[in-house]
Amino acid sequence: MGVRTRILLTFVVGAMVLSGVLFFLTYTLTRSNLRVREGELGLSDDLINETLGSVRASLILATIITVLVGLMLGIVSSERVVRPLAGAADAARAIADGRLDTRLEPTDDPDLNALTDAFNDMVARLQERVERDARFASDVSHELRSPLMTLAASVEVMLSRRDELTERSQAALDLLVADVARFSGLVEDLLEISRYDAGAVRLNRDTLRASELVEQSVRASSLPRSPVHIDPRCADATLSGDRRRLARVVANLIDNARSHGGGSAAVAVSPAEDSASHVWISVEDAGEGVVEGDSERIFERFSRGVGASKRGASEGAGLGLALVREHVRLHGGRVWVERRRDGASGARFVVELPCESLN
Ligand SMILES: Nc1ncnc2c1ncn2[C@@H]1O[C@H](COP(=O)(O)OP(=O)(O)OP(=O)(O)O)[C@@H](O)[C@H]1O
Ligand SMILES: [Mg+2]
């Protein structure tokens, strides 16, 4: 039973008990008084019964009114008690959604203020901690950036003289090149994520043709020859977006098709099925697809999905899809993974973005 019902019942039962006792006492006292003074005042039986009848009717009416007043007081009081709890629940939901600056308003009730103060204090500490962690990731990435750049530049110099090296040294250099590239990518991803955490991401918005953006992004990706299908209705569709970040979204999805999805990708731009003002950019592959139950988790940070561990894929930190989701969200869109529509094995990642000029 909820708090509200319990308070309501307490008031109603209290009013019923109180009026019941008053009813009983008033009625029995009046009756015994009338009986005692019956002879003295010369009252007839009919008159006594009539008087008792009126007293009973008045008492029943008073009982009903008392119970109704109890009910109303119960409703008002339960609302007053529950309102701050509902406020605290809303605040907790807002905090869980990432709005860490949410606080409860102080009230004029000293009992509730203890709860409000404790709650606000807890949120302030949580905010401080989250910000400190975000700063830590950002500081570490910044610190790693300059030695990595030196390393990358030195590797470039060695690469230009690759032919002069022995075969073993060439193999070692190739490993080094791949690892430096992977590490630089990871540091860049970490920096980008920490910018999101700090709320410091500002989109450089341009008006972009969806078809052009997707074709260019595919050509610059790790599978540049992937087929791109543009639905004729989207030929002139434009979107307001950050070119670099949206290209990164497509590139990350294609990278995943390459490393987790069997090595080939097919990209399509089509109108959203359930909205006339959104466009879908989908990337399909012919791999094993995403394991049932992983489709939400793979968008979390450092989450590599059971599929990756099964395949023994060692590369990748699990940041790619987390960044895709952040980029897409900042553009007012959403991203998800589903099965391929044609029933073949493979994953289909869909990015939905607001757009204009759909035919
Ligand atoms: N096309 C795909 N097919 C099957 N599984 C996929 C596909 N794309 C992503 N996944 C799963 O989702 C996980 C998370 O992907 P995400 O891009 O975030 O990380 P990653 O590719 O492992 O590493 P990173 O992108 O940081 O280099 C992958 O490890 C993989 O298990
Ligand atoms: Mg990836």
Side-chain angles (χ1 to χ4, degrees), residues 222-223 226 254-265 285-287:
S222 57
L223 293 174
S226 306
I254 290 186
D255 280 351
N256 281 350
R258 186 178 56 82
S259 49
H260 312 291
S264 69
D285 60 55

Side-chain angles (χ1 to χ4, degrees), residues 94-336:
I95 291 159
D97 284 344
R99 275 168 280 152
L100 289 175
D101 52 353
T102 310
R103 297 289 183 275
L104 289 180
E105 288 293 328
T107 60
D108 48 9
D109 181 332
D111 297 327
L112 279 178
N113 270 346
L115 174 73
T116 308
D117 290 347
F119 185 93
N120 286 347
D121 189 37
M122 177 196 74
V123 183
R125 286 184 199 201
L126 185 71
Q127 183 176 19
E128 200 178 297
R129 194 171 181 154
V130 168
E131 283 170 0
R132 202 173 48 218
D133 287 352
R135 263 199 316 274
F136 176 73
S138 157
D139 291 349
V140 169
S141 317
H142 269 293
E143 289 301 320
L144 287 175
R145 215 180 185 187
S146 28
L148 252 180
M149 278 163 78
T150 316
L151 203 59
S154 314
V155 166
E156 278 294 316
V157 172
M158 285 164 78
L159 260 184
S160 65
R161 299 183 161 218
R162 189 174 184 275
D163 297 340
E164 297 167 23
L165 301 175
T166 62
E167 212 166 290
R168 270 186 76 184
S169 306
Q170 283 185 0
L173 178 62
D174 292 344
L175 282 178
L176 190 62
V177 169
D179 271 357
V180 168
R182 201 158 61 88
F183 201 25
S184 307
L186 172 64
V187 168
E188 288 306 322
D189 283 354
L190 273 175
L191 271 174
E192 188 82 327
I193 287 260
S194 47
R195 270 185 226 119
Y196 273 103
D197 285 346
V201 173
R202 297 280 166 271
L203 292 182
N204 287 322
R205 282 192 190 265
D206 278 319
T207 303
L208 309 168
R209 268 171 92 100
S211 53
E212 241 171 61
L213 170 84
V214 171
E215 273 162 355
Q216 283 174 3
S217 312
V218 171
R219 261 181 264 128
S221 75
S222 57
L223 293 174
R225 272 192 260 277
S226 306
V228 180
H229 175 260
I230 311 284
D231 188 297
R233 288 168 290 173
C234 296
D236 298 321
T238 55
L239 38 96
S240 159
D242 186 317
R243 186 184 288 279
R244 182 184 71 79
R245 291 200 163 87
L246 290 179
R248 199 65 236 147
V249 166
V250 176
N252 276 359
L253 295 180
I254 290 186
D255 280 351
N256 281 350
R258 186 178 56 82
S259 49
H260 312 291
S264 69
V267 186
V269 181
S270 57
E273 275 169 12
D274 46 2
S275 157
S277 55
H278 286 80
V279 70
W280 279 1
I281 300 171
S282 62
V283 178
E284 257 181 30
D285 60 55
E288 290 176 16
V290 172
V291 178
E292 199 73 50
D294 252 6
S295 48
E296 266 301 314
R297 207 166 62 84
I298 54 172
F299 288 95
E300 285 166 18
R301 294 168 189 192
F302 298 107
S303 165
R304 297 188 54 238
V306 290
S309 355
K310 239 178 29 193
R311 283 187 294 275
S314 59
E315 56 184 283
L319 283 176
L321 288 177
L323 269 174
V324 165
R325 188 166 65 176
E326 297 285 6
H327 290 325
V328 172
R329 196 185 281 162
L330 208 63
H331 281 84
R334 58 195 183 109
V335 56
W336 67 93

